[in-house]
Amino acid sequence: PSHYKVLTSAAANATSFGYLISGLYAGETFYYRVAARSPGGSSAWSNVVTAVIRPIPVTKLSAVAESSTQNKLTWQDNTDNETGLRVHRRSPTTTFGTIGNSLSANATTYTDQVTTVNERYVYRVENMTPDGDITSPTVVAPTQNGYWTELAAFPGEKRQMAMCFTIGDNIYYGGGIASGRLNDFWQYNTITKVWTRQADFPGAADFGYATITYGQAGFVIGGKTSGLVDVDEVWTYSVFNNNWVARQALPGGPMYGASCFIVGNELFVAGGKGVLDPSSKLWIYNLASAKWSAGTDFPGAGRTYGVAFSIGTNGYFGLGATGSGEVKDWWQYNAASEEWTQLADFPGDARSFAHTVPFYNKGFVMAGSSGNTLLDDVWEFEASGNTWTQRTKLPVTLAGSSLAAT
């Protein structure tokens, strides 16, 4: 260096010193030396040390899911001597790798076309400079339609084919089958994240029930015992009293594997199987009079373990297993005209034991089994256009388990 500039004086006996210098540029080299000073004069200068100003990584890196297969990245570029930038990406189960070609210097955006629908990718951006490459902190791209989060583990025995419904901020879950009969019943509070055991389920059925919520009550309809005896019982669970009340039995006799939806003050039960082949009957339970009546028979093939939900004044029903195998047809029931209309087929695999959750005027159908294959896909049905959109997959495959939404 041609000359030195005195920065400032440090305190006596100091062994370190910090000094803020503004207006520096990446790649600049600075030389430092220290001398001691006393009333008698100054010491000789110390050895010289150097410091090179490192490039500043990009900041304000963000990712927006513009579609289920396209993520747009934006950032603030802070380096003026870079030769280019690289974008790195990884999935939750892989390591980082460079994607695409190197970007030009001072680039501030990149659009990533991905092949896995609704995957939660992690990104970072690397500046390439003559003084070395430097990488930004990472950012997680949200999927277009959310992601799954693991909650508090269920404290009861592991099981399958359990009942499940939601009331307010609480999820209710119980029954099902494991090594033997299970009739315990639990509440999960989505606010406190705590499980609490409730009054045991008093019914005979152990699995294969249809469940649905109306107001502050949960309905459990039909089912099958662990001894494979079909059941015609109908029960309601009251949140206020934490008790179960038996209702008028199913008018068509014992039945399991049915599906149900509610429009207005009427509960509709479709499909299922009893003594005869899978049913095409539609049964209507008036929630005001607590009486059953017969509705317009379902025009499709009778089936078990289909899915159903309601949106507005219409019910929707389909999928399931018929006498000849699993199907993917999809139907609308107009409660006012009492008419069925066949819609476009469900776009996923034909399946049974799928799960359905109505949520904010949309219906979600997810998982289930297709033959011997367990599924993890999630689909959203939009009634206004009768369209299906694939959403973020479940983190596990599920069939014969239970799902709920609040």
Side-chain angles (χ1 to χ4, degrees):
S2 58
H3 65 276
Y4 285 92
K5 176 183 178 181
V6 176
L7 296 178
T8 189
S9 297
N13 303 316
T15 58
S16 63
F17 179 72
Y19 189 81
L20 179 63
I21 307 175
S22 60
L24 304 183
Y25 299 94
E28 282 189 282
T29 301
F30 288 82
Y31 300 82
Y32 296 91
R33 62 185 185 181
V34 178
R37 188 174 62 181
S38 70
S42 297
S43 69
W45 290 104
S46 68
N47 61 296
V48 176
V49 296
T50 61
V52 179
I53 303 302
R54 295 285 294 163
I56 303 173
V58 305
T59 54
K60 300 181 181 180
L61 175 61
S62 66
V64 175
E66 294 190 317
S67 73
S68 59
T69 58
Q70 180 172 291
N71 295 323
K72 183 175 183 180
L73 309 180
T74 58
W75 59 86
Q76 177 177 300
D77 182 56
N78 301 305
T79 302
D80 60 0
N81 71 332
E82 65 200 11
T83 58
L85 299 100
R86 286 189 287 253
V87 177
H88 300 168
R89 181 189 71 200
R90 71 170 175 83
S91 73
T93 58
T94 62
T95 57
F96 275 111
T98 302
I99 56 175
N101 299 320
S102 297
L103 305 181
S104 60
N106 304 316
T108 58
T109 185
Y110 179 78
T111 299
D112 182 27
Q113 303 289 341
V114 299
T115 57
T116 302
V117 174
N118 285 319
E119 181 68 273
R120 292 192 76 210
Y121 288 104
V122 182
Y123 294 92
R124 66 187 186 190
V125 176
E126 181 181 48
N127 300 80
M128 299 180 290
T129 76
D131 307 296
D133 301 336
I134 186 166
T135 305
S136 73
T138 61
V139 63
V140 178
T143 60
Q144 185 189 17
N145 309 294
Y147 54 90
W148 294 92
T149 302
E150 186 174 1
L151 302 178
F154 174 60
E157 185 176 349
K158 293 180 180 179
R159 64 199 66 197
Q160 59 181 338
M161 307 286 286
M163 67 179 74
C164 188
F165 50 81
T166 64
I167 300 176
D169 293 323
N170 298 314
I171 298 171
Y172 294 87
Y173 176 79
I177 52 175
S179 56
R181 182 173 194 267
L182 298 171
N183 68 343
D184 53 332
F185 188 67
W186 298 75
Q187 176 199 79
Y188 179 76
N189 187 297
T190 60
I191 305 300
T192 63
K193 316 297 184 187
V194 173
W195 287 96
T196 307
R197 188 162 179 172
Q198 306 295 304
D200 287 351
F201 175 59
D206 299 315
F207 67 98
Y209 2 62
T211 61
I212 199 166
T213 300
Y214 180 72
Q216 297 298 306
F219 280 77
V220 178
I221 302 166
K224 206 176 190 72
T225 71
S226 55
L228 304 183
V229 177
D230 299 341
V231 173
D232 64 357
E233 297 174 348
V234 178
W235 292 87
T236 57
Y237 173 78
S238 171
V239 172
F240 296 121
N241 302 316
N242 183 30
N243 70 339
W244 293 90
V245 177
R247 302 296 180 182
Q248 184 181 17
L250 284 164
M255 182 169 61
Y256 70 94
S259 304
C260 54
F261 57 88
I262 290 176
V263 176
N265 67 343
E266 293 181 318
L267 188 161
F268 299 82
V269 177
K273 186 178 186 301
V275 178
L276 302 177
D277 292 335
S279 175
S280 293
K281 290 290 186 181
L282 178 70
W283 297 100
I284 306 172
Y285 182 80
N286 188 294
L287 294 160
S289 66
K291 300 295 182 181
W292 288 98
S293 62
T296 304
D297 285 355
F298 173 60
R303 64 200 62 198
T304 57
Y305 298 111
V307 297
F309 52 77
S310 62
I311 299 175
T313 59
N314 295 317
Y316 296 87
F317 175 57
L319 311 185
T322 69
S324 58
E326 290 162 331
V327 292
K328 56 193 297 183
D329 54 337
W330 189 241
W331 298 76
Q332 177 190 80
Y333 177 78
N334 186 304
S337 64
E338 302 181 4
E339 294 177 335
W340 289 95
T341 302
Q342 186 169 8
L343 305 177
D345 283 356
F346 171 70
D349 294 331
R351 66 192 66 196
S352 56
F353 294 101
H355 312 281
T356 180
V357 177
F359 193 64
Y360 285 102
N361 294 318
K362 296 180 180 181
F364 289 82
V365 174
M366 57 196 81
S369 61
S370 181
N372 295 323
T373 302
L374 298 180
L375 304 172
D376 61 1
D377 52 341
V378 177
W379 296 84
E380 177 190 291
F381 178 72
E382 176 65 59
S384 60
N386 294 326
T387 56
W388 293 93
T389 303
Q390 191 170 9
R391 299 308 190 192
T392 308
K393 289 184 177 181
L394 287 160
V396 293
T397 54
L398 294 173
S401 53
S402 303
L403 294 174
T406 62

